[in-house]
Structure formats: C-alpha cells, structure tokens
C-alpha cells in the first residue's frame, strides 16, 4: 500500500448531524451536576459510547464543546415545557460549559507505573495518566511518577487541583475528561491487580468505572467514556456493582442529508485555495446529492468509513487531475481492491480472527440486516448451553454497526448495519458457505432507499431465497417444484436448474406514474412490462421489486424451456396473512389483473413463445377460497374464469397454493412464529419474531443447500 494512503486525512473534516447526540450528552452532564448539588451520595451519570471503529466517537468527544457552542440553547433547552427558573439554571450551566476545558485521555497509554508498592494498582495508573495527559496538553514534559505519587497519594481532590493548576483553570471552571479506547481493559488482565469475586473472576471495567465514581465526587468535573467494548455488559455491571449510570451516546451512522452537509462544509488543504470537497468532485452533470447517495450506499453512513472513502477519492483526484467523477467512475474506483483495503484496514485484524462460534452467527446477523429486523437493547443470543451474549454487544464484536431507530411511540430499537465496503472481506472468510454468500450478495444489491425505511419483508425474502436455493441445488427433488409441475404442464416443460449461482436482485418497482425528470427513475410505469421482460428479467435471477406496494408481484423470474423455444415469466404474490382473515377472492383477482393482464397485452401478444404464470402463495386463505378449492392447490388456465369476474388470458396461468403446501415449503414452526410476530405490526422486532426463529430460518435455508 502506497505511503500516501497512510495519511489520516487529506481534508479538514467537519463533524455534522450530531445534534441529537449533543442534546443527550449535555442533558446527562447537566443531570450529574444537579445530582451533585442535591445529594453528595449521588449516583454519577457518565455518557458512554461503546462503538466500533469509524462510528465517530473520538471525533465527537474532541468536538463536543465546539458542537455545544454552535447549537446554543438548543443543546439543553428543548421544546419541552419547563419553568422559567429551570430555563435560567440550564442557561447558567450552558454558559459555564462554553468556558469548559476538555482533557482527552488515551487509555492505550495506560500502563503500570512506579512507585513499586503501587505498580499494579489500576487506580494509581489512571490518576497518573490523567495528570500526564494534562501536562502534555499544556506543553509541559512527562511528569515523574514517583514525584506524582508523593504529592497525590491517590487523593482525588489533590489530583484535580493539580490538573487545574497545570491547565490554568479556575476552581469553578468545568473540566471535561474524555477517556478514549476503553476497550484496552480487555487486554490488561496481566497488568493490574483487579478486584476478585467470590468465584475468582475479575471484571476490569467494574474497577475502572469505580475509579471514575470516586473522581465524580469532585466539583465541576465531568467524564465521557468511549471505545470499542462490550458496552451493554459493562453498562449493566456498572449499575449493579459500581453504582454508576452509563448512558449510551447512539452516534448512529449519517443519513444522506448529513453526508451532503459534510461534503459542503469540509475543505481539502491538498488543493489550491482549499476548496470544499463538494466543489472538487461535483459538477453540472454530477451533483452533491448524487455523490452523497453513492457514499451512503458504499459506507452505510459510518463516519470513519466515509472519511476513508473521501480520502481515497481525493488521492485519485490529485493523481488524475482530469478525473471527472460520475456514478460509473465512482464504483470503478471504489470497487478496486486497493480502495477497499485502505478503507477497511482498521477492521481487518478483527474480521480475519472471528472464532468459529462467531462465524456460525454471521447468517443470523446478515438476516437481521437484510430484512431490517429491529432489536431491543437487552436482547440475548444463546451461544452455548453456558453462554449468552447481548445482541447489542455481539454486533460490535462481529465488526458490524448499529443504527438507532426511534419509532412513533418513542420506542428505541436498533438495526444491524453491514456496510457494503465490508461485504467483500466477509465473503472471503465464508467462501465455502453458499447460503451466507447468497445472503451477503442479496444485501449488497439492496438499493440505498432501504437505509431510510424498515422494509421488514421476512416472508417475501424467505420465499425468494428458498426458490433460488431450489433452483440452484435441489430442482429435481423439490416438493414445491413437483407440485407446480403437477398443476401446470407449462412449468413441467421448463428447465428449473440454474446453471450458475447468482444473487437476488432488487429491481425498480412498478407504479401507476413514472418519473419524467432527468434523474434515473426509481419505478417502472404500469405500461412498461415489455421493457421489464426484455431487459430486466434475465435468465437465472430472482427479482424483488423494492417497493412492497408496487403494481407487480413480490418476486419475479423467467424460466427457459428444456427443448422448445418456450419461456415462462413467473410472478409470486406473497400474501402474509397473520390474523384470522385470509386472502379473499377479490384480492386474488386484483393480483391477476395487475400482472397477468398487462403482461399478456404488452408482451405475450408480440412474443407467442412466452407464457406467464402468477402463483398466489398465502399463509392463510379465506374460508370461501379454501372451500371452493377443496383445500387443495389449483391451477387456472387460459379461458378459465376466476371468481366469475376474471378470465385467464391466452398463454397465462394462475396457481393458488393451498395453506398446507405453503406450510410445507416454509416450515410449520417458522410460519407459526411469523404469524405471532406480525399479527400486531408490519415491522416486528427480533424479540417478537424471536432470535431462535431467525436461527431456525438459517437452519431451514441451510438444509436446501
């Protein structure tokens, strides 16, 4: 890797879109001050950011005071109804916060120090590192540990007083201490004498948080703790053991508007005049909005990955002054292995050293990310008969990211985010696992719109994946394929074996209206079926329109005849009915009208060798539909009347699968769990679906390979 890639930054980055994090953090600091004034036996409140590389935690704490100033009163005084007296108290707190001094403490510098009798004492090592950091910040040299110990003697009041003297601070001036890289405590077991429990276990984080608890008793001192760690496990232990309240700073990945702001406010000193990044890359035919969307799709909005990607693009621009960025050239540059190596380099050691147990959980986490299934803060994953882990912590441990989602009821949940930059490296580690490969490739093909709305289409996704696996691995002994062959002579003549592995593809949706702007359309019009069939539905691909309300089936694919020139366009209408009401005849007719009729009129009339089939796959049929079909699957062919109102067009078929056939295809237990999860919401979280059900889905899909 060229030395130019080792630069931290090729531009001056601006922290953006952190208003919610500033409000939360400032509220916690204010809460600590109030508690300290009311009761000296208070429980300290400490903002805590236990996130993976690239989440922006270090930049956030270093920029916090600047962000507070830029927000003004909004940092602590919001729209809630509070008294004038309380507003005055908060304004006074903000005024003092504007004068505060931030002391950044890098815990990778934490190590045992003299004197001998305190050499393995963690509290002394933390106290010394605090004072050392203050001395280095003020421009003084590194202090002598022996001299420090003689003065401090582990007294917090003396320590804070000396720090204030070194930093030239008043006693009433706020001191903000930011402990970074707290995860190093995971590797410090042999360095310090930690407290031991009755069963001879040690918990370094409890000792560390206990030290902060003691420091919080000093007036006008506040703390942040950030760094990759088992955050929720530490959080729970801190409350029960150390009597400290750790409050998570979400630091969610940026959305498109935040990336646009970052591009428009950040300048590159590598170019004459230090122009804004947006000015360097964007032009009449390539807008800042388009660049932001591409960066979002590539990095998932993870700040560290975003900065890395921009740095690499700037390097390319410096070395190729004529480079004119476009969507095509962007992907050509960023899909190169040198670019991806540079962007994810800090994560490679962890990605390449996942344990076998962690590897087994990859498919579960990929399913959660693929279907945007939300999870709650305290959800547990069963690793073994003796070991459970919080899903919140597992996501970090697996080198993935979390996205905080706050619903309309102000309920906080999280989504698993796997940036597309990481997928290539995960693929290398699971190259023999064909299911994981398929799930990752499907996730990679998801459009950027999925970042903004939870499209929890678990049932449709399962059906699409199982059809694909049957096409690739078990076409001859597939019970579903056998059923379709018995019902339809046309299906029976098709080649249902995929010759090569591919991925599910998220295609543009079909709607009544179509865009007339110069920007690429995100939908097809309802009169575009000829274009869809000729250009989109290629052999050996499963297509999923990414809008669930589109005027098309949920799944589309094309099959070729074994010997004849016949081809079959197949649409699967997945009807997840999770309450007592099954799908009715009028809904079946509506599905047929919006697919079979237009495909016939626009495509089959000019392509006589093409046939079209619609398969209704519903988890529950209405009583009238089930009775009329004698509780069996049924095929309606050309000329047949459906419900007395719709006539099947020429070269078309409509197949309605029975509930039992659908159940056999998906799995009784899985359907039962989905029915329970979906009966009250369109976007259930993982607890309502059940982590065990998600793992059961993985096992069920794995059996098809």
């Amino acid at each position: 890797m060229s030395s130019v890639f080792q630069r931290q930054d090729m531009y001056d980055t601006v922290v953006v879109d952190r208003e919610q994090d500033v409000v939360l953090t400032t509220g916690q600091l204010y809460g600590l001050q109030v508690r300290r004034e009311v009761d000296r036996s208070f429980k300290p409140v400490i903002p805590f950011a236990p996130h993976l590389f690239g989440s922006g935690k270090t930049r956030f704490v270093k920029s916090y005071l600047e962000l507070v100033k830029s927000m003004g009163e909004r940092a602590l005084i919001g729209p809630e109804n509070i008294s004038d007296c309380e507003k005055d108290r908060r304004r006074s707190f903000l005024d003092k916060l504007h004068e505060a001094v931030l002391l950044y403490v890098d815990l990778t510098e934490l190590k045992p120090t003299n004197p001998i009798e305190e050499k393995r004492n963690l509290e002394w090592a933390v106290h010394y590192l605090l004072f050392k950091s203050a001395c280095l910040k003020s421009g003084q040299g590194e202090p002598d540990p022996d001299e420090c110990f003689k003065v401090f003697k582990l007294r917090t009041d003396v320590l804070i007083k000396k720090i204030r003297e070194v930093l030239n601070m008043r006693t009433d001036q706020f001191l903000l201490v930011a402990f970074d890289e707290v995860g190093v405590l995971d590797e410090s077991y042999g360095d310090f004498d930690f407290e031991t429990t009755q069963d001879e276990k040690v918990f370094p984080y409890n000792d560390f948080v206990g030290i902060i608890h003691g420091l919080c008793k000093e007036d006008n001192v506040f703390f942040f703790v950030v760094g990759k760690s088992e955050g929720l496990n530490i959080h729970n232990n801190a409350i029960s053991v150390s009597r400290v309240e750790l409050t998570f700073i979400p630091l969610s990945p940026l959305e498109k508007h935040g990336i646009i702001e970052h591009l428009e406010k950040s300048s590159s000193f590598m170019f004459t005049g230090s122009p804004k990044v947006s000015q360097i890359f964007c032009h009449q035919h390539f807008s800042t909005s388009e660049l932001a969307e591409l960066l979002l799709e590539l990095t998932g909005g993870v700040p560290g990955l975003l900065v890395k990607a921009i740095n690499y693009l700037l390097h390319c621009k410096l070395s190729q002054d004529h480079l004119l960025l476009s969507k095509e050239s962007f992907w050509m540059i960023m899909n190169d292995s040198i670019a991806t190596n540079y962007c994810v380099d800090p994560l490679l050691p962890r990605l390449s050293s996942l344990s076998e147990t962690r590897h087994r959980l990859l498919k579960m986490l990929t399913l959660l990310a693929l279907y945007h299934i939300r999870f709650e803060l305290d959800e547990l994953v069963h690793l073994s008969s003796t070991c459970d882990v919080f899903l919140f912590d597992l996501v970090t441990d697996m080198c993935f990211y979390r996205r905080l989602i706050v619903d309309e009821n102000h309920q906080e949940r999280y989504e698993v985010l796997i940036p597309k930059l990481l997928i290539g490296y995960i693929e290398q580690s699971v190259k023999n696992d064909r299911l994981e490969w398929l799930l990752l490739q499907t996730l990679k093909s998801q459009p950027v719109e999925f970042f903004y709305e939870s499209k929890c289409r678990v049932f449709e996704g399962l059906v699409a994946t199982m059809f694909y696996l049957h096409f690739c691995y078990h076409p001859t002994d597939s019970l579903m394929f056998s059923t379709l062959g018995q019902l339809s002579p046309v299906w029976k003549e098709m080649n249902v074996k995929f010759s090569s592995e591919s991925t599910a593809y998220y295609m543009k949706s079909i709607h009544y209206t179509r865009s007339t702007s110069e920007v690429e359309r995100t939908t097809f019009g309802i009169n575009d079926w000829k274009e869809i069939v000729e250009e989109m539905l290629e052999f050996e691909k499963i297509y999923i329109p990414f809008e669930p309300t589109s005027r098309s089936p949920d799944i589309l694919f094309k099959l070729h005849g074994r010997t004849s020139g016949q081809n079959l366009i197949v649409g699967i209408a997945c009807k997840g009915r999770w309450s007592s009401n099954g799908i009715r005849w009028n809904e079946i007719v509506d599905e047929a009208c919006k697919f079979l009729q237009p495909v016939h009129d626009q495509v089959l009339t000019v392509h006589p060798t093409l046939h079209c089939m619609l398969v209704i796959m519903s988890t529950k049929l209405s009583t009238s539909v089930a009775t009329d079909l004698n509780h069996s699957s049924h095929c309606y062919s050309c000329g047949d009347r459906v419900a007395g109102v719709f006539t099947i067009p020429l070269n078309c078929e409509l197949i309605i699968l029975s509930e039992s056939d659908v159940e056999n295809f998906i799995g009784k237990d899985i359907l039962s769990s989905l029915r329970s999860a979906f009966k009250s919401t369109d976007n259930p979280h993982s607890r309502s679906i059940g982590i065990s059900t998600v793992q059961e889905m993985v096992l069920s899909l794995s059996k098809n390979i």
Side-chain angles (χ1 to χ4, degrees):
M1 188 178 293
S2 170
S3 60
V4 70
F5 298 145
Q6 303 304 319
R7 298 183 66 101
Q8 286 297 311
D9 283 317
M10 295 181 70
Y11 70 108
D12 295 318
T13 59
V14 175
V15 178
V16 298
D17 202 19
R18 288 297 181 218
E19 286 80 5
Q20 290 184 338
D21 299 300
V22 170
V23 169
L24 184 148
T25 302
T26 308
Q28 299 306 314
L29 299 181
Y30 177 69
L32 171 58
Q33 185 74 341
V34 171
R35 293 185 185 189
R36 192 153 41 198
E37 292 172 354
V38 172
D39 182 7
R40 296 304 294 181
S41 62
F42 64 95
K43 178 187 288 187
V45 183
I46 301 173
F48 182 38
H51 305 298
L52 190 60
F53 156 82
S55 60
K57 52 192 180 295
T58 300
R59 290 180 188 271
F60 175 75
V61 295
K62 286 185 173 181
S63 305
Y64 170 72
L65 290 177
E66 181 182 337
L67 293 171
V68 169
K69 291 177 182 177
S70 66
M71 285 188 66
E73 289 190 353
R74 292 183 296 117
L76 190 58
I77 303 175
E80 68 270 19
N81 187 21
I82 57 177
S83 66
D84 291 339
C85 179
E86 176 62 17
K87 285 183 180 179
D88 289 339
R89 290 184 62 186
R90 296 189 180 197
R91 288 190 182 102
S92 175
F93 182 83
L94 282 173
D95 288 341
K96 296 189 69 173
L97 200 56
H98 292 165
E99 296 180 339
V101 174
L102 177 72
L103 178 61
Y104 176 80
V105 181
D106 185 354
L107 287 173
T108 60
E109 298 294 323
L110 183 69
K111 52 183 178 289
T113 57
N114 288 325
I116 299 300
E117 64 268 23
E118 300 293 342
K119 189 170 184 178
R120 293 174 57 84
N121 186 306
L122 177 65
E123 184 176 12
W124 162 241
V126 170
H127 283 198
Y128 174 72
L129 181 58
L130 271 168
F131 187 67
K132 171 185 168 183
S133 300
C135 290
L136 294 177
K137 178 181 176 68
S138 66
Q140 300 181 21
E142 187 171 319
D144 179 80
D146 288 322
E147 292 299 322
C148 290
F149 184 76
K150 291 177 182 177
V151 175
F152 300 153
K153 293 289 185 181
L154 293 178
R155 290 178 53 188
T156 57
D157 58 336
V158 177
L159 171 65
I160 298 301
K161 180 182 178 181
K162 288 296 182 182
I163 289 176
R164 290 186 180 279
E165 290 176 0
V166 168
L167 297 178
N168 195 27
M169 296 177 61
R170 304 188 310 273
T171 56
D172 65 338
Q173 196 171 357
F174 285 177
L175 172 64
L176 273 61
V177 178
F179 284 112
D180 197 1
E181 301 293 351
V182 68
V184 300
L185 292 173
D186 289 327
E187 304 167 2
S188 62
Y189 286 89
D191 295 335
F192 301 102
D193 294 324
F194 296 111
E195 291 188 20
T196 306
T197 62
Q198 291 183 346
D199 53 357
E200 298 187 347
K201 292 182 179 180
V202 295
F203 296 92
Y205 290 102
N206 288 354
D207 294 49
F208 177 71
V209 173
I211 293 168
I212 297 179
H213 182 282
L215 290 166
C216 281
K217 294 179 180 178
E218 301 303 318
D219 290 336
N220 299 322
V221 182
F222 306 84
F223 294 89
F224 300 90
V225 177
V226 302
K228 201 292 299 177
S229 59
E230 292 187 352
L232 188 54
N233 197 31
I234 297 169
H235 170 273
N236 293 345
N237 281 330
I239 291 177
S240 60
V241 178
S242 306
R243 294 194 69 253
V244 170
E245 185 178 324
L246 297 176
T247 303
F248 290 119
I249 311 173
L251 296 179
S252 287
L254 301 179
E255 295 187 4
K256 181 179 174 180
H257 66 85
I259 298 177
I260 290 175
E261 184 182 359
H262 180 77
L263 293 170
E264 292 179 341
K265 290 185 175 181
S266 300
S267 303
S268 176
F269 48 83
M270 302 296 291
F271 294 79
T272 304
S274 296
K276 305 299 184 186
V277 174
S278 57
Q279 295 172 332
I280 296 171
F281 292 125
C282 301
H283 48 82
Q284 181 181 358
H285 303 294
F286 186 66
S287 67
T288 306
S289 177
E290 290 174 282
L291 176 57
E293 189 164 295
L294 292 172
L295 288 167
L296 174 62
E297 187 167 350
L298 178 72
T299 67
V302 175
L305 299 180
L306 175 69
V307 169
K308 286 272 194 175
I310 294 174
N311 274 330
Y312 190 83
L313 288 170
L314 287 169
H315 163 73
C316 292
K317 182 66 175 177
L318 273 176
S319 59
Q320 306 173 47
D321 185 56
H322 64 280
L323 175 66
L324 197 64
L325 209 58
S326 65
K327 181 176 181 180
E328 293 72 24
S329 62
F330 175 91
W331 287 116
M332 187 178 298
I333 293 169
M334 297 312 301
N335 283 335
D336 186 273
S337 60
I338 296 177
T340 51
N341 277 338
Y342 166 67
C343 291
V344 304
D345 181 65
L347 299 176
L348 291 183
R350 293 188 60 78
L351 282 172
S352 60
S353 61
L354 292 177
S355 66
E356 183 178 341
T357 302
R358 295 297 195 265
H359 268 299
R360 289 199 299 268
L361 296 170
L362 271 175
K363 286 187 283 290
M364 181 196 75
L365 290 176
T366 307
L367 277 179
L368 292 176
L370 181 60
Y371 299 144
H372 295 258
I373 301 173
R374 298 165 183 177
F375 65 91
E376 295 182 5
L377 180 67
D378 59 346
E379 285 194 54
L380 286 168
V381 176
H382 184 66
L383 295 183
S384 67
S385 58
T386 59
C387 181
D388 291 329
V389 64
F390 288 112
L391 181 53
F392 183 93
D393 293 338
L394 179 64
V395 172
T396 300
D397 192 46
M398 298 286 282
C399 290
F400 298 153
Y401 296 87
R402 297 176 295 265
R403 184 185 297 278
L404 176 65
I405 305 294
V406 182
D407 63 22
E408 61 276 5
N409 298 317
H410 305 290
Q411 181 71 41
E412 293 186 353
R413 293 192 177 95
Y414 297 87
E415 286 182 356
V416 178
L417 173 64
I418 306 179
K420 292 186 180 182
L421 264 173
L422 299 183
I423 290 179
Y425 291 94
I426 303 172
E427 287 173 342
Q428 294 176 23
S429 65
V430 296
K431 56 187 176 182
N432 296 322
D433 189 329
R434 305 319 299 164
L435 175 59
E436 178 64 20
W437 178 88
L438 171 65
L439 295 175
L440 287 170
Q441 287 298 311
T442 306
L443 181 61
K444 196 173 183 179
S445 75
Q446 277 191 356
V448 71
E449 286 87 346
F450 274 63
F451 290 152
Y452 296 115
E453 181 182 353
S454 179
K455 299 177 185 294
C456 189
R457 298 162 70 187
V458 179
F459 180 53
E460 296 91 327
L462 275 175
V463 172
T465 305
M466 295 186 81
F467 261 95
Y468 175 81
L469 294 175
H470 282 231
F471 282 134
C472 285
Y473 301 104
H474 299 286
T476 56
D477 57 0
S478 166
L479 182 60
M480 176 56 67
F481 287 7
S482 175
T483 299
L484 293 172
Q486 293 171 16
L487 294 168
S488 166
V490 178
W491 178 281
K492 197 171 184 179
E493 294 301 315
M494 293 297 112
N495 179 12
V496 292
K497 168 66 176 176
F498 278 12
S499 60
S500 62
E501 293 178 312
S502 181
T503 175
Y505 178 81
Y506 287 89
M507 61 179 277
K508 294 180 290 184
S509 298
I510 297 94
H511 288 281
Y512 282 112
T513 58
R514 52 189 296 181
S515 172
T516 57
S517 68
E518 295 181 0
V519 180
E520 181 182 356
R521 290 180 298 146
T522 57
T523 69
F524 289 104
I526 59 174
N527 296 318
D528 290 343
W529 278 105
K530 185 174 184 293
E531 178 187 351
I532 295 168
V533 170
E534 291 180 351
E535 299 182 18
M536 296 292 296
L537 294 183
E538 299 174 2
F539 182 45
E540 298 184 344
K541 275 193 177 180
I542 300 283
Y543 291 85
I544 306 173
F546 63 74
E547 284 290 346
T549 57
S550 68
R551 295 287 298 178
S552 68
D554 300 289
I555 300 165
L556 291 162
F557 53 86
K558 181 168 67 175
L559 299 178
H560 289 221
R562 288 194 183 92
T563 56
S564 67
Q566 287 186 339
N567 295 314
L568 178 62
I569 307 300
V570 181
I572 311 290
C574 300
K575 296 296 179 182
R577 295 306 165 93
W578 314 109
S579 63
S580 58
N581 300 319
I583 186 172
R584 302 183 299 273
W585 278 117
N586 65 311
E587 296 173 277
I588 294 174
V589 169
D590 181 61
E591 291 293 329
C593 288
K594 75 181 185 183
F595 179 60
L596 293 180
Q597 195 64 59
V599 172
H600 169 268
D601 296 344
Q602 300 172 39
V603 183
L604 304 190
T605 53
V606 294
H607 292 286
T609 60
L610 277 177
H611 288 251
C612 184
M613 172 188 290
L614 175 64
V615 180
I616 303 293
M617 182 174 285
S618 179
T619 57
K620 188 173 182 60
L621 304 175
S622 68
T623 302
S624 61
V625 173
T627 302
D628 291 346
L629 299 179
N630 197 26
H631 300 279
S632 301
S633 297
H634 186 78
C635 177
Y636 290 87
S637 301
C638 171
D640 291 344
R641 297 275 289 175
V642 181
V645 295
F646 179 76
T647 301
I648 302 295
L650 181 66
N651 290 342
C652 292
E653 291 178 327
L654 170 65
I655 291 179
I656 305 173
L657 294 174
S658 67
E659 292 178 26
S660 59
D661 281 338
V662 174
E663 186 177 274
N664 289 332
F665 185 58
I666 299 296
K668 182 177 181 179
D669 292 339
I670 292 176
L671 278 183
S672 177
S673 296
L674 293 181
R675 186 173 289 112
S676 175
F678 278 94
K679 65 183 178 181
S680 60
T681 178
D682 291 332
N683 287 312
H685 50 88
S686 59
R687 177 165 290 170
S688 61
I689 289 179
I691 289 295
S692 60
T693 300
V694 179
Q695 292 176 312
E696 190 176 336
M697 291 178 196
V698 171
L699 290 175
S700 178
L701 292 171
S702 299
K703 291 176 183 177
N704 289 287
I705 295 182

